[in-house]
Amino acid sequence: MCAAFAAAQQPEQNASKTEGKQWWRHAVFYEIYPRSFADSNNDGVGDLMGIASKLGYLKDLGADAIWITPCFPSPQVDFGYDVSDYESIDPVYGTLADFDTLAREAKRRGIHIILDFVVNHTSDQHKWFLDSRSSRTSAHRDWYIWRDGKGPGQPPNNWISDFGGSAWTFDATTGQYYYHMFDKAQPDLNWRNPAVKDAMFDVTRWWYKRGVSGFRLDAVDTLFEDPSLHDNPILPGVNAFGDPKEENKYNSKLPEVHDVLRGLRKIADEYDAALIGETWTTDIDELNRYYGDHDDELQLPMDFLFTTVNTLSAAEFRRQIAAVNAAKGWPTYVISNHDIVRSYDRYGDGQHNDQIAKLMAGMYLTLRGTPIMYYGEEIGMKTTPPMRREDVKDPIGLKGWPQEKGRDGERTPMQWDASENAGFSKGAPWLPVPDTYKTHNVATESKDAHSVLAFYKEVLKLRHTNDALLEGDYVALDETDPNVLSYLRASASETVLVVLNMSGTKQTSHFDFTHRGFSKVRKLIATGQSSAKGNDVTLEPYGVFLGELK
Ligand code: GLC
């Protein structure tokens, strides 16, 4: 196959040069689900000292920042996303002293700590909610959203919870309904109340002073609701829980969220901290809004567009990359997290999964932007959903079984070695270890130069030292090739060529860079037999080639 080089994009459009100093632009983020990462006290649940014991591994891998999903006191109905105290550590994960040790050890290695700030709701066991529900005149009554029903047994409106059923629960003590976008144990805070805003803003100051470098803001889309409680428009069909589908017109992405983000950013800036947003944007206008009109909201609104591309398609990825690259802020790329099927399974064909895992790494770790990895992705961990309802832990799976099996499958214990329980714990792990742990684990892959892990390390090492990969512009190459995705990353001093074969057959791409003043391609990293000869790059099935233009 022969394809001409198309200089379709002008590098100037990536106006990013002046902001090169911010640490979060060059950092590789690594998401840790603490229950499942490393268990230091062998109770079957991971903990903070477990994470501390793996900092050497993380540094060696090339992670510069760890985002720990909620580790605050919680009844664990939604495994920490139901916080009952924002300023402490849940005993299952350790103590505040453990957190301080982790923070100190991480800092020593130059690793930033990002905490997960559950801003939309608290646990129903938080003292604010306990007071709020105690009487209609309690001090915290207006910290949550309470309304009368439409009539006997009828909730205030038709809003549906993301976790199934009505988003309203009747509370007999005061005879009113409270609103919850998620589980009924996760009542929504009323962000229209300035006291809520002050208290939540103070939480961030409290953690910044303890050494935290930023927050991932959970469920920011749903912070505000229409105060008139208009019914949402009903869409055709039903969801996995059997509820009518609806458009979240009146309870998601309301403009008021931006005032809150500006407030949080102002405080973050005082501490040189980064704000990552769980922003389920559907288009670039929405994504752009999260950066703020004056770069005064989120530095890193997560771009989830990749997570909606569920097949290996050069055309689709090219389209999504071009869109995100043209956004006004610094892109944030994600291919897996604790809420979605792992990328290993979404893109894997069942036969070449390891090769495809390398291909995905070759793509998103070489793009212009900050990548957020998900633990286990670097060793090719697979999704292992529960087979029986009695094994399900996730509240979504419990409610939606069998249609919705929940998110346990992507939260299984990290696979450290080939010993019992994959070296995660000597106790019985809270979720079963996938059977692939014997081959896909850190110890075994560390000894294999061709493993997924070895490839991640190689790419991350290059990424940390290569100016083009750190700051260079993204220049799309052949825009029409259905099988090969290719692009340049070009800085003033270096130009890197990235060529990715998204097909199961051998491919050859022809390039001509003479008009850019380059006559040679020097291999930097390539999988298997993939190689360059003259102006041709030949890729094995699902092959990756990274080269430097000379
Ligand atoms: C976010 C979290 C998810 C959680 C939900 C409710 O989407 O990523 O795990 O269940 O918010 O807090």
Side-chain angles (χ1 to χ4, degrees), residues 22-24 201 204-205 208 212-215 260-276 291-292 294-300:
Q22 294 121 323
W23 65 268
W24 43 266
F201 281 16
T204 67
R205 291 190 183 92
Y208 289 141
V212 160
S213 298
F215 290 94
V260 171
L261 295 181
R262 275 190 293 275
L264 287 169
R265 174 67 182 273
K266 219 162 162 239
I267 304 168
D269 281 347
E270 288 167 26
Y271 295 88
D272 190 22
L275 295 179
I276 304 172
Y291 291 106
H294 307 283
D295 178 23
D296 52 357
E297 297 189 28
L298 302 173
Q299 294 104 317
L300 300 170

mmCIF file of all heavy atoms in Angstrom, residues 22-24 201 204-205 208 212-215 260-276 291-292 294-300:
data_model
loop_
_atom_site.group_PDB
_atom_site.id
_atom_site.type_symbol
_atom_site.label_atom_id
_atom_site.label_comp_id
_atom_site.label_asym_id
_atom_site.label_seq_id
_atom_site.Cartn_x
_atom_site.Cartn_y
_atom_site.Cartn_z
ATOM 1 N N GLN A 22 4.203 23.914 33.195
ATOM 2 C CA GLN A 22 3.309 23.272 34.174
ATOM 3 C C GLN A 22 3.595 21.776 34.271
ATOM 4 O O GLN A 22 3.551 21.067 33.278
ATOM 5 C CB GLN A 22 1.854 23.509 33.769
ATOM 6 C CG GLN A 22 1.465 24.976 33.852
ATOM 7 C CD GLN A 22 1.004 25.485 32.518
ATOM 8 O OE1 GLN A 22 1.531 25.102 31.486
ATOM 9 N NE2 GLN A 22 0.016 26.346 32.526
ATOM 10 N N TRP A 23 3.798 21.295 35.510
ATOM 11 C CA TRP A 23 4.251 19.912 35.707
ATOM 12 C C TRP A 23 3.271 18.896 35.151
ATOM 13 O O TRP A 23 3.656 17.843 34.662
ATOM 14 C CB TRP A 23 4.504 19.663 37.205
ATOM 15 C CG TRP A 23 3.267 19.750 38.071
ATOM 16 C CD1 TRP A 23 2.808 20.856 38.715
ATOM 17 C CD2 TRP A 23 2.349 18.696 38.355
ATOM 18 N NE1 TRP A 23 1.649 20.561 39.396
ATOM 19 C CE2 TRP A 23 1.348 19.231 39.194
ATOM 20 C CE3 TRP A 23 2.274 17.340 38.002
ATOM 21 C CZ2 TRP A 23 0.280 18.478 39.664
ATOM 22 C CZ3 TRP A 23 1.212 16.583 38.469
ATOM 23 C CH2 TRP A 23 0.234 17.161 39.295
ATOM 24 N N TRP A 24 1.968 19.195 35.213
ATOM 25 C CA TRP A 24 0.955 18.218 34.824
ATOM 26 C C TRP A 24 0.913 18.001 33.318
ATOM 27 O O TRP A 24 0.324 17.044 32.844
ATOM 28 C CB TRP A 24 -0.411 18.653 35.353
ATOM 29 C CG TRP A 24 -0.673 20.122 35.174
ATOM 30 C CD1 TRP A 24 -0.438 21.111 36.080
ATOM 31 C CD2 TRP A 24 -1.190 20.756 34.010
ATOM 32 N NE1 TRP A 24 -0.776 22.332 35.551
ATOM 33 C CE2 TRP A 24 -1.245 22.142 34.280
ATOM 34 C CE3 TRP A 24 -1.619 20.298 32.753
ATOM 35 C CZ2 TRP A 24 -1.701 23.068 33.347
ATOM 36 C CZ3 TRP A 24 -2.079 21.211 31.827
ATOM 37 C CH2 TRP A 24 -2.117 22.589 32.124
ATOM 38 N N PHE A 201 -14.821 23.712 49.432
ATOM 39 C CA PHE A 201 -13.578 24.378 49.020
ATOM 40 C C PHE A 201 -12.517 24.193 50.111
ATOM 41 O O PHE A 201 -11.343 23.977 49.829
ATOM 42 C CB PHE A 201 -13.818 25.874 48.764
ATOM 43 C CG PHE A 201 -14.456 26.174 47.420
ATOM 44 C CD1 PHE A 201 -15.067 25.171 46.673
ATOM 45 C CD2 PHE A 201 -14.440 27.455 46.906
ATOM 46 C CE1 PHE A 201 -15.646 25.446 45.443
ATOM 47 C CE2 PHE A 201 -15.009 27.738 45.665
ATOM 48 C CZ PHE A 201 -15.629 26.741 44.938
ATOM 49 N N THR A 204 -10.463 21.041 49.993
ATOM 50 C CA THR A 204 -9.297 21.000 49.082
ATOM 51 C C THR A 204 -8.095 21.666 49.740
ATOM 52 O O THR A 204 -6.986 21.146 49.671
ATOM 53 C CB THR A 204 -9.599 21.641 47.702
ATOM 54 O OG1 THR A 204 -9.802 23.046 47.836
ATOM 55 C CG2 THR A 204 -10.799 21.002 47.046
ATOM 56 N N ARG A 205 -8.329 22.786 50.435
ATOM 57 C CA ARG A 205 -7.194 23.462 51.117
ATOM 58 C C ARG A 205 -6.551 22.507 52.132
ATOM 59 O O ARG A 205 -5.337 22.421 52.254
ATOM 60 C CB ARG A 205 -7.682 24.709 51.854
ATOM 61 C CG ARG A 205 -8.128 25.815 50.940
ATOM 62 C CD ARG A 205 -8.361 27.113 51.709
ATOM 63 N NE ARG A 205 -8.842 28.142 50.832
ATOM 64 C CZ ARG A 205 -10.143 28.410 50.605
ATOM 65 N NH1 ARG A 205 -11.087 27.735 51.231
ATOM 66 N NH2 ARG A 205 -10.498 29.360 49.760
ATOM 67 N N TYR A 208 -4.437 20.059 50.293
ATOM 68 C CA TYR A 208 -3.248 20.685 49.672
ATOM 69 C C TYR A 208 -2.180 20.896 50.736
ATOM 70 O O TYR A 208 -1.000 20.662 50.504
ATOM 71 C CB TYR A 208 -3.596 22.034 49.026
ATOM 72 C CG TYR A 208 -4.441 21.937 47.769
ATOM 73 C CD1 TYR A 208 -5.467 22.852 47.515
ATOM 74 C CD2 TYR A 208 -4.201 20.948 46.817
ATOM 75 C CE1 TYR A 208 -6.241 22.778 46.367
ATOM 76 C CE2 TYR A 208 -4.969 20.862 45.666
ATOM 77 C CZ TYR A 208 -5.987 21.775 45.436
ATOM 78 O OH TYR A 208 -6.751 21.691 44.303
ATOM 79 N N VAL A 212 -0.995 17.212 48.909
ATOM 80 C CA VAL A 212 -1.641 16.692 47.703
ATOM 81 C C VAL A 212 -1.413 17.665 46.526
ATOM 82 O O VAL A 212 -1.421 18.869 46.714
ATOM 83 C CB VAL A 212 -3.145 16.512 48.017
ATOM 84 C CG1 VAL A 212 -3.967 16.441 46.770
ATOM 85 C CG2 VAL A 212 -3.336 15.258 48.863
ATOM 86 N N SER A 213 -1.228 17.114 45.328
ATOM 87 C CA SER A 213 -0.918 17.960 44.160
ATOM 88 C C SER A 213 -2.125 18.196 43.263
ATOM 89 O O SER A 213 -1.956 18.708 42.141
ATOM 90 C CB SER A 213 0.160 17.303 43.299
ATOM 91 O OG SER A 213 1.333 17.164 44.000
ATOM 92 N N GLY A 214 -3.301 17.792 43.706
ATOM 93 C CA GLY A 214 -4.462 18.040 42.869
ATOM 94 C C GLY A 214 -5.569 17.050 43.151
ATOM 95 O O GLY A 214 -5.447 16.177 44.029
ATOM 96 N N PHE A 215 -6.644 17.216 42.396
ATOM 97 C CA PHE A 215 -7.809 16.344 42.567
ATOM 98 C C PHE A 215 -8.340 15.901 41.220
ATOM 99 O O PHE A 215 -8.292 16.644 40.239
ATOM 100 C CB PHE A 215 -8.942 17.093 43.291
ATOM 101 C CG PHE A 215 -8.637 17.357 44.735
ATOM 102 C CD1 PHE A 215 -8.061 18.556 45.116
ATOM 103 C CD2 PHE A 215 -8.909 16.405 45.705
ATOM 104 C CE1 PHE A 215 -7.766 18.805 46.451
ATOM 105 C CE2 PHE A 215 -8.610 16.640 47.039
ATOM 106 C CZ PHE A 215 -8.045 17.844 47.412
ATOM 107 N N VAL A 260 -18.354 26.962 40.027
ATOM 108 C CA VAL A 260 -17.689 26.130 41.042
ATOM 109 C C VAL A 260 -16.273 25.776 40.577
ATOM 110 O O VAL A 260 -15.305 25.855 41.347
ATOM 111 C CB VAL A 260 -18.511 24.851 41.320
ATOM 112 C CG1 VAL A 260 -17.724 23.881 42.190
ATOM 113 C CG2 VAL A 260 -19.839 25.210 41.974
ATOM 114 N N LEU A 261 -16.147 25.399 39.322
ATOM 115 C CA LEU A 261 -14.823 25.007 38.824
ATOM 116 C C LEU A 261 -13.849 26.176 38.881
ATOM 117 O O LEU A 261 -12.678 26.011 39.242
ATOM 118 C CB LEU A 261 -14.925 24.454 37.395
ATOM 119 C CG LEU A 261 -15.723 23.150 37.275
ATOM 120 C CD1 LEU A 261 -15.751 22.671 35.832
ATOM 121 C CD2 LEU A 261 -15.142 22.050 38.168
ATOM 122 N N ARG A 262 -14.355 27.375 38.582
ATOM 123 C CA ARG A 262 -13.466 28.552 38.676
ATOM 124 C C ARG A 262 -12.998 28.756 40.122
ATOM 125 O O ARG A 262 -11.844 29.053 40.375
ATOM 126 C CB ARG A 262 -14.174 29.809 38.158
ATOM 127 C CG ARG A 262 -14.065 29.960 36.639
ATOM 128 C CD ARG A 262 -14.557 31.313 36.172
ATOM 129 N NE ARG A 262 -15.984 31.488 36.378
ATOM 130 C CZ ARG A 262 -16.922 31.072 35.526
ATOM 131 N NH1 ARG A 262 -16.580 30.487 34.392
ATOM 132 N NH2 ARG A 262 -18.207 31.250 35.792
ATOM 133 N N GLY A 263 -13.912 28.541 41.061
ATOM 134 C CA GLY A 263 -13.556 28.689 42.477
ATOM 135 C C GLY A 263 -12.514 27.651 42.891
ATOM 136 O O GLY A 263 -11.530 27.970 43.565
ATOM 137 N N LEU A 264 -12.727 26.425 42.475
ATOM 138 C CA LEU A 264 -11.774 25.357 42.839
ATOM 139 C C LEU A 264 -10.409 25.607 42.194
ATOM 140 O O LEU A 264 -9.366 25.348 42.798
ATOM 141 C CB LEU A 264 -12.322 23.996 42.403
ATOM 142 C CG LEU A 264 -13.492 23.461 43.235
ATOM 143 C CD1 LEU A 264 -14.133 22.254 42.550
ATOM 144 C CD2 LEU A 264 -13.036 23.067 44.651
ATOM 145 N N ARG A 265 -10.440 26.133 40.982
ATOM 146 C CA ARG A 265 -9.176 26.383 40.265
ATOM 147 C C ARG A 265 -8.365 27.491 40.932
ATOM 148 O O ARG A 265 -7.136 27.420 41.021
ATOM 149 C CB ARG A 265 -9.470 26.712 38.809
ATOM 150 C CG ARG A 265 -8.275 27.131 38.000
ATOM 151 C CD ARG A 265 -7.260 25.996 37.804
ATOM 152 N NE ARG A 265 -6.115 26.483 37.066
ATOM 153 C CZ ARG A 265 -6.032 26.517 35.735
ATOM 154 N NH1 ARG A 265 -7.029 26.027 35.012
ATOM 155 N NH2 ARG A 265 -4.986 27.008 35.139
ATOM 156 N N LYS A 266 -9.093 28.485 41.420
ATOM 157 C CA LYS A 266 -8.401 29.601 42.074
ATOM 158 C C LYS A 266 -7.581 29.072 43.260
ATOM 159 O O LYS A 266 -6.420 29.435 43.434
ATOM 160 C CB LYS A 266 -9.468 30.594 42.587
ATOM 161 C CG LYS A 266 -9.077 32.002 42.410
ATOM 162 C CD LYS A 266 -10.279 32.944 42.504
ATOM 163 C CE LYS A 266 -9.708 34.324 42.764
ATOM 164 N NZ LYS A 266 -10.134 34.944 43.952
ATOM 165 N N ILE A 267 -8.199 28.205 44.021
ATOM 166 C CA ILE A 267 -7.482 27.638 45.176
ATOM 167 C C ILE A 267 -6.354 26.731 44.677
ATOM 168 O O ILE A 267 -5.229 26.786 45.182
ATOM 169 C CB ILE A 267 -8.443 26.841 46.080
ATOM 170 C CG1 ILE A 267 -9.604 27.738 46.530
ATOM 171 C CG2 ILE A 267 -7.711 26.262 47.291
ATOM 172 C CD1 ILE A 267 -10.751 26.987 47.175
ATOM 173 N N ALA A 268 -6.652 25.909 43.670
ATOM 174 C CA ALA A 268 -5.619 24.991 43.136
ATOM 175 C C ALA A 268 -4.386 25.790 42.698
ATOM 176 O O ALA A 268 -3.248 25.377 42.962
ATOM 177 C CB ALA A 268 -6.185 24.190 41.974
ATOM 178 N N ASP A 269 -4.611 26.925 42.067
ATOM 179 C CA ASP A 269 -3.484 27.719 41.565
ATOM 180 C C ASP A 269 -2.582 28.207 42.703
ATOM 181 O O ASP A 269 -1.376 28.356 42.522
ATOM 182 C CB ASP A 269 -3.990 28.909 40.743
ATOM 183 C CG ASP A 269 -4.383 28.485 39.330
ATOM 184 O OD1 ASP A 269 -4.041 27.358 38.930
ATOM 185 O OD2 ASP A 269 -5.057 29.275 38.636
ATOM 186 N N GLU A 270 -3.181 28.432 43.866
ATOM 187 C CA GLU A 270 -2.357 28.873 45.007
ATOM 188 C C GLU A 270 -1.361 27.785 45.416
ATOM 189 O O GLU A 270 -0.386 28.046 46.094
ATOM 190 C CB GLU A 270 -3.250 29.191 46.220
ATOM 191 C CG GLU A 270 -4.065 30.458 46.058
ATOM 192 C CD GLU A 270 -5.149 30.554 47.137
ATOM 193 O OE1 GLU A 270 -4.978 29.978 48.235
ATOM 194 O OE2 GLU A 270 -6.185 31.187 46.849
ATOM 195 N N TYR A 271 -1.678 26.538 45.059
ATOM 196 C CA TYR A 271 -0.827 25.409 45.472
ATOM 197 C C TYR A 271 -0.145 24.728 44.283
ATOM 198 O O TYR A 271 0.358 23.618 44.427
ATOM 199 C CB TYR A 271 -1.675 24.384 46.245
ATOM 200 C CG TYR A 271 -2.220 24.935 47.550
ATOM 201 C CD1 TYR A 271 -3.439 25.606 47.589
ATOM 202 C CD2 TYR A 271 -1.494 24.811 48.737
ATOM 203 C CE1 TYR A 271 -3.943 26.128 48.775
ATOM 204 C CE2 TYR A 271 -1.987 25.330 49.921
ATOM 205 C CZ TYR A 271 -3.214 25.983 49.940
ATOM 206 O OH TYR A 271 -3.693 26.501 51.112
ATOM 207 N N ASP A 272 -0.183 25.340 43.119
ATOM 208 C CA ASP A 272 0.383 24.743 41.909
ATOM 209 C C ASP A 272 -0.203 23.338 41.677
ATOM 210 O O ASP A 272 0.504 22.385 41.345
ATOM 211 C CB ASP A 272 1.916 24.662 42.011
ATOM 212 C CG ASP A 272 2.551 24.273 40.683
ATOM 213 O OD1 ASP A 272 1.908 24.477 39.642
ATOM 214 O OD2 ASP A 272 3.684 23.734 40.687
ATOM 215 N N ALA A 273 -1.489 23.235 41.923
ATOM 216 C CA ALA A 273 -2.148 21.920 41.843
ATOM 217 C C ALA A 273 -2.904 21.768 40.521
ATOM 218 O O ALA A 273 -3.235 22.749 39.856
ATOM 219 C CB ALA A 273 -3.111 21.774 43.015
ATOM 220 N N ALA A 274 -3.176 20.524 40.174
ATOM 221 C CA ALA A 274 -3.880 20.235 38.921
ATOM 222 C C ALA A 274 -5.281 19.698 39.206
ATOM 223 O O ALA A 274 -5.473 18.913 40.146
ATOM 224 C CB ALA A 274 -3.092 19.198 38.128
ATOM 225 N N LEU A 275 -6.231 20.119 38.406
ATOM 226 C CA LEU A 275 -7.593 19.592 38.520
ATOM 227 C C LEU A 275 -7.921 18.773 37.275
ATOM 228 O O LEU A 275 -7.858 19.277 36.148
ATOM 229 C CB LEU A 275 -8.602 20.734 38.663
ATOM 230 C CG LEU A 275 -8.493 21.587 39.930
ATOM 231 C CD1 LEU A 275 -9.535 22.703 39.918
ATOM 232 C CD2 LEU A 275 -8.659 20.724 41.194
ATOM 233 N N ILE A 276 -8.264 17.522 37.533
ATOM 234 C CA ILE A 276 -8.680 16.613 36.460
ATOM 235 C C ILE A 276 -10.198 16.492 36.587
ATOM 236 O O ILE A 276 -10.715 16.405 37.702
ATOM 237 C CB ILE A 276 -8.081 15.210 36.669
ATOM 238 C CG1 ILE A 276 -6.557 15.279 36.782
ATOM 239 C CG2 ILE A 276 -8.503 14.247 35.585
ATOM 240 C CD1 ILE A 276 -5.913 13.948 37.172
ATOM 241 N N TYR A 291 -12.384 23.880 30.051
ATOM 242 C CA TYR A 291 -11.098 24.550 30.277
ATOM 243 C C TYR A 291 -11.324 25.960 30.845
ATOM 244 O O TYR A 291 -10.418 26.537 31.437
ATOM 245 C CB TYR A 291 -10.315 24.677 28.968
ATOM 246 C CG TYR A 291 -9.795 23.372 28.412
ATOM 247 C CD1 TYR A 291 -10.386 22.776 27.296
ATOM 248 C CD2 TYR A 291 -8.691 22.752 28.982
ATOM 249 C CE1 TYR A 291 -9.897 21.594 26.764
ATOM 250 C CE2 TYR A 291 -8.193 21.567 28.461
ATOM 251 C CZ TYR A 291 -8.807 20.993 27.348
ATOM 252 O OH TYR A 291 -8.311 19.818 26.826
ATOM 253 N N GLY A 292 -12.520 26.479 30.635
ATOM 254 C CA GLY A 292 -12.820 27.838 31.102
ATOM 255 C C GLY A 292 -12.515 28.863 30.024
ATOM 256 O O GLY A 292 -11.669 28.627 29.162
ATOM 257 N N HIS A 294 -11.013 31.634 30.322
ATOM 258 C CA HIS A 294 -9.685 32.241 30.466
ATOM 259 C C HIS A 294 -8.711 31.231 31.066
ATOM 260 O O HIS A 294 -7.931 31.580 31.949
ATOM 261 C CB HIS A 294 -9.782 33.485 31.357
ATOM 262 C CG HIS A 294 -10.815 34.448 30.884
ATOM 263 N ND1 HIS A 294 -10.603 35.284 29.812
ATOM 264 C CD2 HIS A 294 -12.094 34.669 31.289
ATOM 265 C CE1 HIS A 294 -11.709 35.984 29.595
ATOM 266 N NE2 HIS A 294 -12.620 35.633 30.475
ATOM 267 N N ASP A 295 -8.800 29.991 30.622
ATOM 268 C CA ASP A 295 -7.963 28.927 31.183
ATOM 269 C C ASP A 295 -8.061 28.974 32.711
ATOM 270 O O ASP A 295 -7.070 28.914 33.427
ATOM 271 C CB ASP A 295 -6.507 29.113 30.706
ATOM 272 C CG ASP A 295 -5.571 28.069 31.301
ATOM 273 O OD1 ASP A 295 -6.065 26.996 31.694
ATOM 274 O OD2 ASP A 295 -4.357 28.337 31.412
ATOM 275 N N ASP A 296 -9.292 29.092 33.206
ATOM 276 C CA ASP A 296 -9.458 29.287 34.648
ATOM 277 C C ASP A 296 -10.387 28.224 35.259
ATOM 278 O O ASP A 296 -10.962 28.428 36.311
ATOM 279 C CB ASP A 296 -10.001 30.701 34.936
ATOM 280 C CG ASP A 296 -11.256 31.028 34.134
ATOM 281 O OD1 ASP A 296 -11.680 30.187 33.302
ATOM 282 O OD2 ASP A 296 -11.814 32.117 34.343
ATOM 283 N N GLU A 297 -10.515 27.059 34.557
ATOM 284 C CA GLU A 297 -11.301 25.970 35.154
ATOM 285 C C GLU A 297 -10.410 24.729 35.248
ATOM 286 O O GLU A 297 -9.412 24.768 35.944
ATOM 287 C CB GLU A 297 -12.591 25.762 34.367
ATOM 288 C CG GLU A 297 -13.492 27.021 34.441
ATOM 289 C CD GLU A 297 -14.866 26.820 33.866
ATOM 290 O OE1 GLU A 297 -15.372 25.685 33.884
ATOM 291 O OE2 GLU A 297 -15.454 27.805 33.384
ATOM 292 N N LEU A 298 -10.739 23.673 34.526
ATOM 293 C CA LEU A 298 -9.951 22.441 34.653
ATOM 294 C C LEU A 298 -8.732 22.485 33.736
ATOM 295 O O LEU A 298 -8.867 22.822 32.565
ATOM 296 C CB LEU A 298 -10.807 21.235 34.263
ATOM 297 C CG LEU A 298 -12.093 21.026 35.049
ATOM 298 C CD1 LEU A 298 -12.923 19.899 34.423
ATOM 299 C CD2 LEU A 298 -11.766 20.673 36.495
ATOM 300 N N GLN A 299 -7.569 22.101 34.277
ATOM 301 C CA GLN A 299 -6.411 21.965 33.380
ATOM 302 C C GLN A 299 -6.549 20.679 32.566
ATOM 303 O O GLN A 299 -6.137 20.606 31.437
ATOM 304 C CB GLN A 299 -5.095 21.878 34.163
ATOM 305 C CG GLN A 299 -4.715 23.127 34.913
ATOM 306 C CD GLN A 299 -4.984 22.959 36.397
ATOM 307 O OE1 GLN A 299 -6.025 22.428 36.768
ATOM 308 N NE2 GLN A 299 -4.070 23.418 37.229
ATOM 309 N N LEU A 300 -7.126 19.653 33.198
ATOM 310 C CA LEU A 300 -7.163 18.336 32.562
ATOM 311 C C LEU A 300 -8.582 17.744 32.542
ATOM 312 O O LEU A 300 -8.874 16.803 33.282
ATOM 313 C CB LEU A 300 -6.198 17.390 33.298
ATOM 314 C CG LEU A 300 -4.723 17.796 33.325
ATOM 315 C CD1 LEU A 300 -3.924 16.907 34.294
ATOM 316 C CD2 LEU A 300 -4.096 17.704 31.934
#
